[in-house]
Each structure stands twice: as C-alpha cells, then as structure tokens.
Amino acid sequence: MQVIETLAQGLKRELKVVIPAKDMEARMNERLAEVKDRVRINGFRPGKVPVAHLKKVYGKSIMADLVNEIVRDKPTEILTERGEKSATQPEIAMTEDEAEANKILNAEADLEFTVAYEIIPKIELKDVSGIKVVREVVDIAEDEVNDQILRIAESARTYESKKGRAATGDRVTIDYLGKVDGVAFDGGKDEDAELVLGSNRFIPGFEEQLVGVKAGDEKTITVTFPADYPAANLAGKEATFDVTVKDVAAAAPLEINDELATKLGLESADKLKEIVRGQIESQYGSVTRQKVKRQILDQLDELYQFETPERLVDAEFENIWRQINTDLQQAGKTFADEDTTEEEARAEYRKLAERRVRLGLVLSEIGEKAGVQVSDDEMQRSLFEQLRQFPGQEKQILDYFKNTPGAAASLRAPLFEEKVVDHLLSEISVTDKSVSKEELMADDEEAEDKPAAKKAPAKKKAAAKAEAAEGEEAAAPKKKAPAKKKAADDSAE
C-alpha cells in the first residue's frame, strides 16, 4: 500500500492511497480460500470447488466487501501511523467511472482513493498557575429566605367565594375576548381564567379596571400593549377586552406553618425553610460558577492562539447562526432593529465560533493530560436528566441516544468540560469575594459580549454566555401570553 500526501496546507491534509491490483487479488484469494469449504455449488462436492470457479461466482462480491472494509478502516490506521487526529470524519473519494470500478472489482486495476481531512493542531500546554479568578459569594439573608417562602405560600393560598365587589388581593374568575380594531387576535381569548388582582400578571391597566366588579358583571376594558411587547403584531396597539366576571373570591389568611409544609409534601416548616435556602444557594452558586468559568476561559483565550479546524468552526457557527435567526424571527425583528447588519453579525459570530472551538480543543487537551474521565454513572444521570425534562417522550429519547452516532458524545462533552474546569480550579489562584445578590446577578454585558464591538442581535448575550456555561434557558413565555406581561419574578409560579 502506498500513501502519498498530496496536500499539506495549514491544517488541511489530503492523502492518495494506492493498493496494487495484485495485492487486492491476493486478499481476494485468501478470502476465497476461507469460504471454499463452506460454499455449496451444484455439481461439486464440498471443498472441491475449483478456485477459478469460485472466483467467477463470488469474486466480485468478495472484492466489493474488501474495498468497503479498506475504505472504512484504512484511513483511521493511516492517521494513527502519522500521529494525526482528524477534526471531523475524513472525506473519502473514489473513482465514479463505472468501467474503472469494474476493473478494480476484477483485480485488473489498482485500488485508489483519496482521504481529505483537517488535523487537530498539536497544543503545547502552558502553565496555568498564573491564572487568577475572583469567586463572588453571596451571604443569603434570612429575609430573602422568608420572602421566598412567602411567595411559595402565596402560590398555595386558598380562596373562598364571596359576595360583593372585588378588591385588590381578591381572585376573580373571568372569561375574556381581546380585540384590536374590533378584530379578535390570536391568544387573546380564555375561559375560566383565574386572576389575583394586584399580581401584575396581565398587561398594565388590565387588573386595575377589574377592581370593584362582582360576579355576573360584564365589562369592556381598554388597554394599550407595551411598545416592547414580545408579539410584534400587538406591541404599542390599543386593545379592548370583553370580560365576563364569573366569580369573586377572597384570599384565606397567609400562614407559614407545618400545615403549609404538609400541603407541599414536607414534614415541617423547618424542612421547607431548609429546602428553600438550598434552592437559593444553588441558584446563586450556578451564577457564581458561570462567572468563574468565564474568567478562566477569557484567560485561557489570551494564553492560547492557534489556527482552528475550519470544519469545526463552520459547524459551530451554523449552530449559533441558526439560533440567532430563530430568535430574531420569533421576536419579529431584523438585524437592522438590533443596530447591525447581517454581514457584521456573521463576522462577529464567526469570531465567537472560532473562540469556542479553540477553547474546546484546549480544554480537551488539558483534560486528556490530566486523566479526566466521565464515568458511566455520570452519563446515566445525565441521560435521566434528559428524560426528566421531556415527560412522555422517554422512548423516543432513548432510541435517539441508542441509534444516533455521536449522540452519547453530546452528553459526555459538557460533563467532561465541567470536570476539566474543576481540575483547573485546583491548579489556579481563586479568591473568594463577598458580594450582594444585586452585584452577583448584575449583567456583565461587556464581558458576555466580549467578541463583539457593536450592539449584538437577539441572542448575542446568551450565545456568549455559552462560552462559560453548558447552556442557558431563556425565560419561557407565560400561557395566555398576549394578555400578560413578563413577570419580574417567576419563582412563585
């Protein structure tokens, strides 16, 4: 077998592989000898079929199998011998000429094919002891825990129907139909909707106009959707809502006690308090972790500068770009609305894709050298988490991970990355700093939008945050969204 390098430009490589026809014929004859005693051909006793006849009957199919095996296995062997790793699956090209292909199958012509790929660059690991990060830590105040418990209690509060007019804090049950210019709009209708007056769940001005209504009342409410309302067809528009009041109910007294905890499936109020504190700590801990990780990645980005495999960057860019366009479309906006152009946005996100690929390769090399491993138990827990997020679709998800090449790697990659970050935290300088929750949660837009010089379109912040976290969930729109405004704090729901 001959392996001839025909291209070595940057990270791109192309090899021409040639296996002489006589070698292919020898391999075919070996395969024919192996099957000679097993085949059954009329007119011949078992094991007595002449090789020439076997070749005539089975030669082409055996040669086709040999070609497929060689094309499948040899590229990996060749790259291993060359000490190279391909960034993506190598591209294999063979002759498409039917006459030439027949010659190869008849062992009358050499088997030739090309292997095109990009190598993963060799990364010389650098000393990370000079990396310094600040870990922001929030001391959780007792009042914050109590406030969170109050919101939970509010969501579990009971109501009793009352006679008379509705006051702020009462719950009204209503049917409504929303119209713009006299025409009903999608999502503007509901029946038996329950609304606590003063909760600010609906758009400004809606709830206030229901104060003073009583069961059986019919009322038309006029409101104006905010200019920045997510639904572009409603933003800034005046709308009317025809409302029928079906019930008015007063709230029962709000009490934080063991009875409330029992309603929530807990044994005591103390246990409720413990769990709430743990949830708050976990929320702040996630933000702290994200900020620390971003600091690490920013400093690694300064330490390592090298050419990145173009195909990996292309794939990463396409993932980002697809999300950007989806978000813009859902928001009913264009790049011009975000003070940029498609060309400028493409350039910025291309830089982001290059950074993410480069840092991914660095983290992979650090983890490999440090012996970082992801256990089967960790993979199993990650899979269970996927199943938990999509109830009712467990079989489809399991089938996907079982039958889709590379699907398991998508589970392993974020786990591996987080373990590499843990390893780095043991090697670098970490200083804890007490901060307020406002300081911790404040948007660090300049840091998050690091790759960009201009205001970024729709998903820029979330895409940049992805450098420092496995992912970020956007706030989900409420049910009955057209009639509601975004809640400032969704924790009570």
Side-chain angles (χ1 to χ4, degrees), residues 296-335:
I296 292 174
L297 293 182
D298 284 347
Q299 292 177 68
L300 287 176
D301 190 34
E302 292 176 1
L303 278 176
Y304 292 92
Q305 292 295 322
F306 52 82
E307 185 181 1
T308 51
E310 189 175 342
R311 292 180 188 176
L312 287 181
V313 175
D314 287 344
E316 187 64 39
F317 172 78
E318 288 303 321
N319 288 335
I320 297 172
W321 192 247
R322 192 181 305 113
Q323 184 64 60
I324 295 301
N325 282 279
T326 297
D327 290 337
L328 284 174
Q329 187 175 24
Q330 290 177 349
K333 294 184 177 181
T334 66
F335 288 104

Side-chain angles (χ1 to χ4, degrees), residues 180-197:
V180 172
D181 297 329
V183 179
F185 57 85
D186 289 342
K189 179 181 179 180
D190 201 3
E191 296 178 355
D192 295 323
E194 294 182 343
L195 173 64
V196 177
L197 302 183

Side-chain angles (χ1 to χ4, degrees), residues 97-117:
D97 182 87
E98 187 175 347
E100 185 66 22
N102 268 322
K103 287 183 179 181
I104 293 172
L105 295 179
N106 288 321
E108 296 170 354
D110 297 343
L111 170 62
E112 295 184 9
F113 60 93
T114 60
V115 184
Y117 57 99

Side-chain angles (χ1 to χ4, degrees), residues 202-220:
F202 280 41
I203 60 176
F206 189 100
E207 296 174 26
E208 291 86 342
Q209 296 181 58
L210 290 177
V211 173
V213 299
K214 62 183 185 300
D217 282 354
E218 294 184 356
K219 185 170 185 176
T220 297

Side-chain angles (χ1 to χ4, degrees), residues 83-133:
E84 295 175 338
K85 292 181 182 178
S86 179
T88 57
Q89 186 70 22
E91 292 184 359
I92 311 297
M94 298 178 62
T95 180
E96 295 183 2
D97 182 87
E98 187 175 347
E100 185 66 22
N102 268 322
K103 287 183 179 181
I104 293 172
L105 295 179
N106 288 321
E108 296 170 354
D110 297 343
L111 170 62
E112 295 184 9
F113 60 93
T114 60
V115 184
Y117 57 99
E118 283 183 289
I119 62 171
I120 292 177
K122 293 186 182 298
I123 301 172
E124 295 295 330
L125 294 185
K126 300 182 180 182
D127 182 16
V128 296
S129 61
I131 293 180
K132 299 180 189 227
V133 300

Side-chain angles (χ1 to χ4, degrees), residues 186-362:
D186 289 342
K189 179 181 179 180
D190 201 3
E191 296 178 355
D192 295 323
E194 294 182 343
L195 173 64
V196 177
L197 302 183
S199 64
N200 297 320
R201 289 175 57 211
F202 280 41
I203 60 176
F206 189 100
E207 296 174 26
E208 291 86 342
Q209 296 181 58
L210 290 177
V211 173
V213 299
K214 62 183 185 300
D217 282 354
E218 294 184 356
K219 185 170 185 176
T220 297
I221 289 173
T222 301
V223 293
T224 300
F225 281 93
D228 61 351
Y229 195 71
N233 63 315
L234 298 175
K237 298 284 185 67
E238 184 178 86
T240 61
F241 285 86
D242 297 330
V243 179
T244 300
V245 182
K246 304 176 83 170
D247 184 57
V248 176
L254 190 63
E255 295 181 311
I256 310 300
N257 51 29
D258 290 347
E259 184 179 350
L260 170 65
T262 301
K263 285 182 182 178
L264 298 171
L266 303 171
E267 58 267 30
S268 67
D270 287 341
K271 186 64 176 178
L272 172 60
K273 191 171 189 178
E274 177 188 330
I275 289 175
V276 168
R277 177 177 286 276
Q279 289 176 338
I280 295 172
E281 288 175 347
S282 177
Q283 290 168 2
Y284 290 155
S286 295
V287 177
T288 295
R289 170 81 174 194
Q290 181 174 297
K291 286 191 169 185
V292 166
K293 186 175 177 182
R294 189 184 308 136
Q295 293 175 63
I296 292 174
L297 293 182
D298 284 347
Q299 292 177 68
L300 287 176
D301 190 34
E302 292 176 1
L303 278 176
Y304 292 92
Q305 292 295 322
F306 52 82
E307 185 181 1
T308 51
E310 189 175 342
R311 292 180 188 176
L312 287 181
V313 175
D314 287 344
E316 187 64 39
F317 172 78
E318 288 303 321
N319 288 335
I320 297 172
W321 192 247
R322 192 181 305 113
Q323 184 64 60
I324 295 301
N325 282 279
T326 297
D327 290 337
L328 284 174
Q329 187 175 24
Q330 290 177 349
K333 294 184 177 181
T334 66
F335 288 104
D337 294 327
E338 299 293 340
D339 194 26
T340 188
T341 66
E342 181 173 347
E343 185 179 2
E344 289 174 333
R346 276 184 172 274
E348 295 295 341
Y349 285 115
R350 183 76 186 184
K351 292 177 185 176
L352 177 58
E354 289 172 358
R355 168 185 157 107
R356 290 173 66 173
V357 168
R358 186 172 61 255
L359 290 175
L361 294 174
V362 170

